Amino acid sequence: MLPVLNDVIELARSAGAILRAGYGQQHDIRFKAATDLVTEIDHQSEKLIISSIQSRFPTHTIVAEESGHLPGSAENCWYVDPLDGTVNYAHGIPFFCVSIAYGIGHDIQLGVVYDPMRDECFSAEKGRGATLNGQPIRVSDATEMIRALMVTGFPYQLWESENNNLDNYSRVSRVSQGVRRLGSAALDTAYVGCGRFDGYWEVSIKPWDVAAGGLIVREAGGIISNMQGEPDILQKPCSLVAGNAAIHPQLLAKLNEA
Ligand code: IPD
Ligand code: CA
Ligand code: CA
């Protein structure tokens, strides 16, 4: 038995209800690193998602942000971010989501990104298109960088590596309409899928941040690749570029000028 997109949507909506119920409350915050935090709500959401997957697919592998790698059969793998945008969440900023993807290894088959505050559910099935609340979505038709609105993010330990994306931010800002930093890679990529953003990139992201959003970009007619232009977006170091067919190559070239 293989997973069905509607079941994954239902699961993401149930986890999203946990995030919505906890939003704006006092949180039990623990720091994983100086700027990287986790709340009790991340754990509650992840617990629900993992127990649901394990009850239906006990032999599948699950890669989840807070629980790590739960081994199973290599060909069936779930990528789970129970709360993408945790820093926003902890600060009471309503921009965060649940992200769940299922892949045959790195070949992503199903992806769901659910924003519980706006009740926006982005989803995609390989070969069957991408939707927002059931309506088909497409990437934008921007062709020029100067008319293209970009979005990016930064690693938590900015100061630990020179590959911290700050130079890229400066370089792309000079040639595009602007670069936003909204704090949820899963929503950033879903927004590329529905044409709100024209391009996205990030360095050293994690598979659970982008597996679902990456499929949504592709199924909405866009391109997402690593910094070499190759299609395996889940291979470390997960430094990625996304956009429509016109913007993706221009953004990739600009980032590779470094
Ligand atoms: C983070 C967000 C952010 C991105 C970070 C991620 P989290 O995920 O997606 O936009 O820039 O790299 O770690 O910690 O909120 O789940
Ligand atoms: Ca995340
Ligand atoms: Ca998270």
Side-chain angles (χ1 to χ4, degrees):
M1 187 181 57
L2 287 173
V4 174
L5 184 61
N6 278 339
D7 292 343
V8 186
I9 290 173
E10 201 180 299
L11 180 56
R13 284 183 170 278
S14 302
I18 294 177
L19 309 192
R20 195 166 46 234
Y23 178 68
Q25 310 289 324
Q26 191 71 29
H27 294 297
D28 176 11
I29 290 172
R30 191 174 63 75
F31 283 87
K32 299 193 269 188
T35 57
D36 187 2
L37 55 86
V38 62
T39 74
E40 78 288 5
I41 302 292
D42 298 65
H43 290 293
Q44 288 171 21
S45 171
E46 186 159 300
K47 199 171 164 203
L48 173 87
I49 297 167
I50 288 178
S51 63
S52 168
I53 294 170
Q54 285 180 333
S55 70
R56 292 182 228 184
F57 306 103
T59 61
H60 288 192
T61 298
I62 304 175
V63 180
E65 175 158 24
E66 311 308 336
S67 308
H69 187 271
L70 306 174
S73 77
E75 60 276 23
N76 293 291
C77 190
W78 294 81
Y79 302 92
V80 175
D81 194 334
L83 198 183
D84 186 53
T86 297
V87 174
N88 285 343
Y89 191 81
H91 283 260
I93 297 168
F95 194 82
F96 51 83
C97 64
V98 177
S99 177
I100 307 175
Y102 164 76
I104 299 178
H106 285 191
D107 188 8
I108 309 155
Q109 306 292 309
L110 305 174
V112 177
V113 172
Y114 179 57
D115 172 349
M117 302 311 286
R118 291 167 193 77
D119 190 28
E120 288 193 327
C121 189
F122 301 86
S123 67
E125 180 166 358
K126 189 178 179 188
R128 304 196 67 175
T131 61
L132 165 51
N133 290 346
Q135 299 302 311
I137 51 173
R138 291 288 301 171
V139 289
S140 78
D141 56 9
T143 55
E144 295 173 60
M145 289 285 274
I146 199 67
R147 298 268 178 274
L149 186 61
M150 307 296 186
V151 65
T152 190
F154 298 90
Y156 282 111
Q157 279 75 29
L158 264 189
W159 58 91
E160 281 181 1
S161 158
E162 289 198 356
N163 189 23
N164 57 18
N165 206 28
L166 292 172
D167 286 353
N168 292 333
Y169 185 85
S170 164
R171 195 173 316 106
V172 178
S173 294
R174 289 165 210 264
V175 297
S176 65
Q177 191 176 52
V179 184
R180 300 290 185 257
R181 196 295 195 227
L182 300 186
S184 164
L187 276 177
D188 295 344
T189 44
Y191 276 26
V192 172
C194 69
R196 291 176 185 164
F197 285 124
D198 304 295
Y200 159 86
W201 86 93
E202 196 152 354
V203 299
S204 301
I205 194 87
K206 296 290 192 293
W208 51 76
D209 294 314
V210 288
L215 182 65
I216 290 164
V217 169
R218 282 186 182 142
E219 289 299 320
I223 300 172
I224 186 163
S225 72
N226 67 16
M227 290 286 172
Q228 286 70 50
E230 297 158 348
D232 187 351
I233 61 168
L234 301 182
Q235 188 66 44
K236 276 189 184 164
C238 285
S239 294
L240 306 181
V241 188
N244 66 26
I247 296 298
H248 175 271
Q250 296 178 68
L251 181 55
L252 185 64
K254 188 43 73 179
L255 293 166
N256 278 315
E257 275 176 12

